[in-house]
Amino acid sequence: MAEAIIAGLLRKKLVGPEQIAGSHPRQSRREEMHVKYGVEMFENNRDAVTEASIVVLAVKPQRLLGVLQELKGSLAKEQLVVSVVAGAKIETIAEELVHVSIVRTMPNTPAQIGEGVTAWTASAGVSEQQESQVCAMLEALGKTVRVENERQIDMATALSATGPTYIFLVMEALIDAGVHMGFSRHVAQELVHQTMLGSVLFARESHKHPAELRNMVTSPGGTSAEAIYQMEKGSLRTVLSKAVWSAYQRAEALGRK
Ligand SMILES: NC(=O)c1ccc[n+]([C@@H]2O[C@H](COP(=O)([O-])OP(=O)(O)OC[C@H]3O[C@@H](n4cnc5c(N)ncnc54)[C@H](OP(=O)(O)O)[C@@H]3O)[C@@H](O)[C@H]2O)c1
């Protein structure tokens, strides 16, 4: 995720490589990042943050506490901390770092190609100028949506951060259905990928409700009517709703641990 942010910032020319510093415990990874992006890499997190206006926390949740302890006491009041770590509460980060300016974000995997969507929220100690900086930085990953509180971060975790999982499962099922009918996997994949991509772009550009778009292709006694009947009979809508609700409850439970 940190690499996706660095790549996006440089691709969009929001900052130059000399304005980015990273850290990694492994020398081979430090060298790889330096050669690929020209950014300065440190072994130690404390060294990486000394001149930073924005400090991004992007380690796995189980490593976060160690990194926070390492950084404790090394941040100046005006530095902003942005966390992409799933489940890590603003309060926890603020207490561990003894710091008030914290932004919590929830990106998703299409961020790797700059097509993600990131929900974010800020603590009261974050200034308006810092908020616009964060927004610009997160746009390196795709779209951004500011949410009101951390409960909505959990909701975004279930809807958009877990979102690619729902889409990929539907994608896989449709490709398999194509193969079942007799298409080669390659052809089924091409047909499904473009159908999904085209449907999303069409929905976005037409500004129509999905039900209206669906009705446009549903002729009496036709193929869409037959397919819709089977999907409703199989409770596809309810299954998806339950999946999102369960993911939300799981996100809340993980945040309480
Ligand atoms: N990937 C996503 O789409 C996504 C979406 C939403 C949220 N997130 C959150 O983003 C965070 C990062 O996820 P990721 O997928 O980018 O994980 P990742 O690929 O494992 O990246 C974390 C990197 O941090 C390195 N690291 C380990 N200990 C470190 C330390 N003490 N100091 C500095 N770096 C250290 C890891 O090295 P080693 O591999 O050698 O351990 C690894 O290269 C997670 O908290 C995750 O919850 C990710």
Side-chain angles (χ1 to χ4, degrees):
M1 198 43 80
E3 183 174 1
I5 296 175
I6 292 170
L9 288 173
L10 295 176
R11 190 172 52 234
K12 292 195 158 192
K13 297 193 169 30
L14 281 171
V15 291
E18 70 288 348
Q19 289 171 277
I20 301 177
S23 92
H24 202 280
R26 247 183 307 118
Q27 192 188 352
S28 58
R29 182 66 173 143
R30 290 199 295 276
E31 278 171 13
E32 189 189 349
M33 289 295 290
H34 178 68
V35 169
K36 200 165 168 189
Y37 301 104
V39 298
E40 196 174 359
M41 292 295 293
F42 295 89
E43 182 176 2
N44 189 308
N45 284 304
R46 287 177 82 95
D47 294 336
V49 303
T50 42
E51 290 184 35
S53 51
I54 302 180
V55 174
V56 179
L57 301 171
V59 288
K60 290 282 190 214
Q62 61 271 25
R63 292 207 191 271
L64 181 65
L65 205 58
V67 171
L68 295 178
Q69 281 163 358
E70 190 186 340
L71 289 177
K72 192 172 188 167
S74 63
L75 294 176
K77 202 167 160 262
E78 58 280 6
Q79 286 179 304
L80 174 69
V81 174
V82 177
S83 166
V84 302
V85 181
K89 289 229 156 48
I90 288 180
E91 193 187 354
T92 313
I93 298 171
E95 274 176 18
E96 288 297 327
L97 290 177
V98 196
H99 195 75
V100 291
S101 312
I102 318 275
V103 165
R104 182 175 166 196
T105 73
M106 183 44 66
N108 65 2
T109 43
Q112 313 283 340
I113 56 158
E115 290 292 344
V117 60
T118 305
W120 65 280
T121 192
S123 68
V126 177
S127 70
E128 266 180 38
Q129 193 201 351
Q130 286 174 321
E131 283 179 6
S132 2
Q133 282 179 335
V134 167
C135 209
M137 185 186 82
L138 294 176
E139 276 168 9
L141 300 175
K143 295 208 180 305
T144 63
V145 176
R146 185 176 183 168
V147 296
E148 288 164 23
N149 49 45
E150 291 189 275
R151 181 176 167 259
Q152 294 193 351
I153 291 284
D154 287 338
M155 288 159 58
T157 304
L159 196 60
S160 52
T162 311
T165 304
Y166 315 128
I167 305 297
F168 292 142
L169 191 69
V170 170
M171 184 187 285
E172 186 189 345
L174 287 175
I175 293 169
D176 285 349
V179 173
H180 187 211
M181 285 190 299
F183 277 129
S184 70
R185 188 156 289 277
H186 167 75
V187 171
Q189 194 167 294
E190 181 108 5
L191 289 170
V192 170
H193 280 182
Q194 187 53 32
T195 301
M196 292 185 94
L197 189 63
S199 303
V200 170
L201 294 175
F202 185 35
R204 199 170 65 180
E205 280 180 29
S206 69
H207 299 292
K208 286 187 167 44
H209 190 284
E212 201 180 335
L213 293 169
R214 198 159 47 75
N215 282 345
M216 280 162 58
V217 290
T218 311
S219 39
T223 56
S224 291
E226 184 59 34
I228 289 168
Y229 174 76
Q230 291 298 341
M231 287 190 286
E232 298 291 19
K233 198 174 160 199
S235 304
L236 180 65
R237 200 188 287 261
T238 317
V239 167
L240 283 174
S241 180
K242 280 184 173 169
V244 173
W245 186 254
S246 301
Y248 169 53
Q249 288 178 318
R250 188 80 190 120
E252 266 193 326
L254 288 172
R256 281 197 298 272
K257 273 190 180 171

